[in-house]
Structure formats: C-alpha cells, structure tokens
Amino acid sequence: MSSDSNLNTKFPLWAPRPVEETLDIYANWAASYDDDLAEAGYETPHRIAAALAKFTTPDARILDFGCGTGLSGQALQMAGFTNLDGIDISAPMLDKAKIRNIYSRLWQGQLGEMTGITAGQYNVIVAAGVVSLGAAPPETLSMIIDHLAPEGLIGLSFNDPTLDHGSYEAVLDQEISLDRVRTLSCTHGPHLRQQKMGSNVIVLQRL
Ligand SMILES: C[S@@+](CC[C@H](N)C(=O)[O-])C[C@H]1O[C@@H](n2cnc3c(N)ncnc32)[C@H](O)[C@@H]1O
C-alpha cells in the first residue's frame, strides 16, 4: 500500500454495515492488516495501554476484545501488562494473533455474544478500534459492561468517524446516566497518524 493511499479506499471501513460484511472485510484484510496499520501510523492501542496503566497494575487480568491480529495485545504487552487473553469473531485475524504468542487464551467469539466468558471474570476489558463504526455495533459497549467485574475497567476508543456518527457516544452517555459506568479519563489524540485521523481513548470504570 503506497503511503499516499487511504485505508478507507482499500477497505470501506468507517460506515455502518451488516455484520456479515464486517466478517468479509476482516477475512480479506488479515494478511496485510499489520503492514497497512504500521504504514498508517496506528497509535490508538498504545494510547489505550498507557491510559490503563495509570489506573491498574501490570498483572491485571485483561481481555482484549476484538483483538484482531494482536496489535492491541502487543501494545498492552509493551506497556508492561502480562496477563492477556484475546477474543475475536474473525478466524483469519485470530490466525495472525496466534503467531504473536502473547495471549494465554485466544478464541473465536460469536457476533453479539461474549462467548466463553463468565460475567465478572475480567478486571479489564480492552476494545481498541472495535466498538466503532464499521465494526462492532454501539450496543456492544453494554455487553462488555455486563461482563466486566465490579469496579473493573474498560479501555476503548472511538475514532473520529465514530464520534461524528453520534450513535456510539449515545450508548456511552446512557450507560453513564444509568450509573453503570463512570469515565476515569477521555483524551483525543492520533488514531491513524498518516491519515490525520484522531480518536478518543476512554477509560471507564464499572460502578
Ligand atoms: C480495527 S480491528 C482492531 C483489532 C485490534 N484490536 C487492533 O487494535 O488492531 C477490529 C476487530 O474487531 C473485530 N470485530 C468486528 N466486529 C465485531 C463484533 N461485533 N464483535 C467482536 N469483534 C468484532 C474484527 O474481527 C476485527 O478484528
């Protein structure tokens, strides 16, 4: 992929779509995902890891929800986190993640479900670039909150197109108003540096 090309041209990423199309996109993207994201300057996973490190310990049990090829797990590992599991709905993305060998447990989930997870099992759930326009739908945030341990943390991102759409922040605002979570931090910064796209990196605590 040339440096002046655009990920959204190669893959029509940031738009609402049926979940089946999401699976096709990631199946087709798995082989070149890491190279494309390196070239695009993907910073959000490192920002999430750094934000979480302010609120929890390196041995926190973390689920990397929508782990993809493991770039988000790798960023967590680089920030010092040692206890990582990963789940994704895309088998081809998971095949890439396996090679990284950073997750204690890595498995394929089902759309709209937290398959293989007991409620309260994880102190921290990370969703880097997952609960976003073109990937998991807004209500996924509520599902993540449902499964988090009491007082547990969520580290997630909303990229600029997702923020512009409004539907994801609407679910977050509702969860805050229901006193299910509170915001510990929220900062806007680079998502894909080469494309000048930003994201909000948000740390939530379950109440
Ligand atoms: C942009 S990638 C992010 C992957 C990884 N977290 C990272 O930072 O590189 C989005 C991932 O979310 C997964 N995904 C999309 N929709 C999902 C859903 N409804 N439930 C769980 N995972 C989903 C995709 O398979 C894909 O691997």
Side-chain angles (χ1 to χ4, degrees):
M1 191 175 172
S2 67
S3 57
D4 61 351
S5 62
N6 187 304
L7 281 182
N8 208 33
T9 304
K10 187 174 180 184
F11 300 99
L13 293 175
W14 299 291
R17 67 170 56 81
V19 287
E20 295 74 14
E21 282 181 28
T22 302
L23 282 171
D24 283 346
I25 284 180
Y26 285 100
N28 292 328
W29 197 6
S32 64
Y33 181 90
D34 287 4
D35 288 345
D36 288 348
L37 271 285
E39 193 167 353
Y42 184 37
E43 300 212 5
T44 287
H46 296 284
R47 292 176 50 223
I48 291 177
L52 279 172
K54 293 179 185 156
F55 299 105
T56 190
T57 54
D59 62 348
R61 188 165 192 202
I62 301 181
L63 177 66
D64 186 5
F65 178 80
C67 63
T69 63
L71 287 182
S72 36
Q74 182 174 269
L76 290 162
Q77 189 181 53
M78 287 169 72
F81 291 107
T82 55
N83 194 354
L84 307 175
D85 291 347
I87 183 171
D88 201 283
I89 57 169
S90 168
M93 295 289 275
L94 282 170
D95 286 344
K96 293 283 178 185
K98 271 179 210 141
I99 298 166
R100 285 204 149 83
N101 207 22
I102 49 179
Y103 298 103
S104 306
R105 186 177 165 224
L106 188 62
W107 75 104
Q108 187 172 7
Q110 303 296 321
L111 284 167
E113 293 176 23
M114 295 287 269
T115 322
I117 297 169
T118 311
Q121 188 177 346
Y122 289 96
N123 307 113
V124 181
I125 300 180
V126 165
V130 180
V131 188
S132 295
L133 209 58
E139 59 271 20
T140 309
L141 176 59
S142 303
M143 184 179 73
I144 290 173
I145 294 168
D146 287 343
H147 287 80
L148 193 64
E151 301 188 8
L153 305 178
I154 299 171
L156 83 161
S157 60
F158 290 156
N159 60 25
D160 286 342
T162 298
L163 292 168
D164 290 344
H165 194 258
S167 58
Y168 288 80
E169 282 193 298
V171 170
L172 174 56
D173 289 347
Q174 187 181 28
E175 294 290 358
I176 291 169
S177 68
L178 290 170
D179 284 335
R180 296 231 301 150
V181 285
R182 69 180 175 124
T183 305
L184 296 183
S185 69
C186 178
T187 56
H188 192 265
H191 178 61
L192 299 175
R193 189 174 281 284
Q194 298 306 325
Q195 297 194 27
K196 302 188 181 356
M197 182 187 290
S199 62
N200 274 359
V201 160
I202 305 160
V203 179
L204 304 172
Q205 183 171 43
R206 182 166 177 184
L207 298 174

